[in-house]
Amino acid sequence: MVAMTQAPATPKAARRQHDREIVALAVPAFGALVAEPLFVIADSAIVGHLGTAQLAGLGVASALLMTAVSVFVFLAYATTAAVARRVGAGDLQAAIRQGMDGIWLALLLGAAVIAVVLPTAPFLVELFGASDTAAPYATTYLRISALGIPAMLVVLAATGVLRGLQDTKTPLYVAVAGFVANAALNMALVYGADLGIAGSAWGTVIAQWGMAAIYLIVVVRGAREHGASLRPDAAGIRASAQAGVPLLVRTLSLRAILLIATAVAARLGDADIAAHQIILSLWSLLAFALDAIAIAGQAIIGRYLGADDAQGARAACRRMVEWGIAAGVVLGLLVVMARPLFLPLFTSDTAVQNTALPALLVVALSQPICGVVFVLDGVLMGAGDGPYLAWAMVLTLAVFAPVALLILAVGGGLTAVWAAMTLMMTVRMLTLWARTRSGRWLVTGATR
């Protein structure tokens, strides 16, 4: 499960070693990460054939739901970096104990989010600008899906533990099983049981709790094997929460960007928000695919720094950036070629299809930029450089927000929204590149 760092004899050998490490971690991570947005894509494909209003409602509800979950993505990211450092230092018991603290924190945060979302769902949907026809569907989906939030947070924390232990295969198996169960349950409940959009929400909730149960079995087994305590530790939970604060700020800023983009699209009309939901689902799929290299970066960089090998960490970073650019070019080309085949999977409404087509071209052109951004983001997370990531994302939000809001003032359309998203990714790339060039992230040791 755990690969230790060994210095290669030559630069060519070092390059091959980095490639092997990246492939070994990134390929399974790619499958697992792609399976996550496929939950939303499957829901979109199934609900989209119920009608445009239902798909528009799903677009608003899923954006709100993913915001409620994604603000706590530090449960995976911070845990991966901390566990990987301890793996590099050779302390597996402390590594798993760190992960257990994260899982307990996930359960507490999940309960708190449910308590907030259930009573405020109608207000949140209205605040988000859903139309009168889409709002009831959005409220129904949001309220039911909120019951799966604790499970989703447990999955995040447990995934971070396994990634830090250099294991991305188990998350792949769980994600694939979850996707298959989700798609089957959605079809059965939406059409078989005739529950409509509520059936889609219930199917997703059941699949998410099943995934969480599997992860808990795996992590608990590992904790017992290495003698790590399973009991909640107040100090450990508090330390995990404190370590995640900078990444929480980073993620809140990123989610604010996505919420602003979706809110602008919602105010352009039902066809625009429906098209935006389809494109956002694809963009998330592409982002998670690129993030596979970043996940490898978190685990590899954390392990190198934990083993006091700053030179190896820098070389691995450089190689992963090359991988990110190449992957972005390939994905961009695939989007261009697949456009005519992609849209009919989600809607037969020609107005929605015509609105989405030019925006998809913008998404395709931005993929090489996205490849660099996700890789460098993962590298700095693996180094535990959360404060800088928080500052950089706040700056990016400050640039994006006025540009996006200007779209409504000047009468721009959905393509302009996605042009603003490309601007946002460019700003992120510049700030992350400046940090990695400085070398200030190269802090070695079992803890940062």
Side-chain angles (χ1 to χ4, degrees):
M1 177 181 290
V2 179
M4 302 307 293
T5 304
Q6 294 181 347
T10 66
K12 187 175 181 180
R15 194 176 170 91
R16 286 198 301 266
Q17 176 178 309
H18 291 315
D19 286 345
R20 285 194 298 269
E21 290 179 337
I22 292 168
V23 170
L25 291 172
V27 171
F30 171 81
L33 290 168
V34 167
E36 292 179 27
L38 284 177
F39 271 68
V40 178
I41 289 181
D43 289 358
S44 299
I46 293 170
V47 171
H49 291 285
L50 293 174
T52 299
Q54 287 90 334
L55 182 59
L58 174 64
V60 172
S62 63
L64 285 165
L65 181 68
M66 293 313 298
T67 297
V69 174
S70 296
V71 294
F72 302 117
V73 74
F74 69 83
L75 291 167
Y77 292 160
T79 302
T80 298
V83 170
R85 276 184 177 267
R86 285 164 174 78
V87 167
D91 191 350
L92 291 179
Q93 185 183 66
I96 297 177
R97 175 65 258 181
Q98 178 94 25
M100 289 303 305
D101 292 336
I103 290 173
W104 282 110
L105 177 61
L107 288 169
L108 293 174
L109 291 174
V113 173
I114 286 181
V116 172
V117 171
L118 286 181
T120 62
F123 169 75
L124 292 172
V125 168
E126 181 181 357
L127 181 66
F128 219 63
S131 67
D132 291 340
T133 55
Y137 298 111
T139 301
T140 296
Y141 190 91
L142 180 60
R143 276 183 164 158
I144 297 172
S145 294
L147 300 176
I149 289 176
M152 287 187 276
L153 298 190
V154 168
V155 167
L156 285 176
T159 300
V161 178
L162 296 178
R163 288 173 181 168
L165 292 170
Q166 318 295 293
D167 175 13
T168 55
K169 290 183 180 179
T170 300
L172 168 62
Y173 301 148
V174 177
V176 170
F179 168 71
V180 172
N182 176 68
L185 287 166
N186 268 254
M187 288 296 295
L189 296 176
V190 171
Y191 297 114
D194 198 25
L195 295 179
I197 196 170
S200 176
W202 279 117
T204 301
V205 168
I206 295 169
Q208 287 161 347
W209 275 107
M211 292 171 66
I214 295 172
Y215 270 118
L216 287 174
I217 291 171
V218 173
V219 174
V220 167
R221 184 182 301 158
R224 289 175 175 170
E225 179 182 347
H226 294 285
S229 174
L230 297 173
R231 296 179 180 178
D233 177 67
I237 294 172
R238 186 166 53 251
S240 294
Q242 291 172 346
V245 168
L247 291 180
L248 176 60
V249 172
R250 166 207 171 271
T251 303
L252 284 172
S253 299
L254 177 58
R255 295 309 304 183
I257 288 170
L258 298 178
L259 284 171
I260 290 171
T262 302
V264 170
R267 285 163 174 79
L268 296 175
D270 277 2
D272 291 88
I273 184 58
H276 179 75
Q277 168 62 17
I278 294 171
I279 296 173
L280 187 60
S281 297
L282 175 63
W283 191 80
S284 298
L285 175 63
L286 296 171
F288 279 118
L290 291 170
D291 209 24
I293 306 172
I295 295 302
Q298 292 174 30
I300 293 170
I301 295 298
R303 195 189 74 236
Y304 271 111
L305 295 178
D308 296 321
D309 187 357
Q311 182 179 355
R314 186 185 288 277
C317 171
R318 185 165 51 248
R319 187 58 176 155
M320 282 183 282
V321 168
E322 294 171 356
W323 278 69
I325 294 172
V329 171
V330 171
L331 290 175
L333 291 173
L334 288 175
V335 170
V336 172
M337 292 186 294
R339 283 187 310 151
L341 302 175
F342 177 75
L343 291 173
L345 294 175
F346 295 91
T347 179
S348 56
D349 190 327
T350 55
V352 176
Q353 293 182 13
N354 292 336
T355 301
L357 276 172
L360 278 174
L361 276 179
V362 176
V363 171
L365 292 172
S366 70
Q367 290 311 296
I369 297 173
C370 294
V372 175
V373 169
F374 285 110
V375 167
L376 294 182
D377 208 36
V379 165
L380 295 183
M381 285 181 188
D385 202 12
Y388 181 84
L389 290 172
W391 174 86
M393 191 58 75
V394 170
L395 173 63
T396 303
L397 172 60
V399 173
F400 173 81
V403 174
L405 295 177
L406 187 62
I407 293 171
L408 291 174
V410 301
L414 188 64
T415 302
V417 172
W418 282 95
M421 290 287 286
T422 300
L423 171 65
M424 177 270 293
M425 294 302 291
T426 302
V427 173
R428 289 186 68 189
M429 181 180 69
L430 294 175
T431 57
L432 297 175
W433 183 264
R435 184 63 168 183
T436 53
R437 291 281 293 176
S438 74
R440 295 178 183 175
W441 55 281
L442 291 166
V443 179
T444 60
T447 58
R448 182 178 171 91

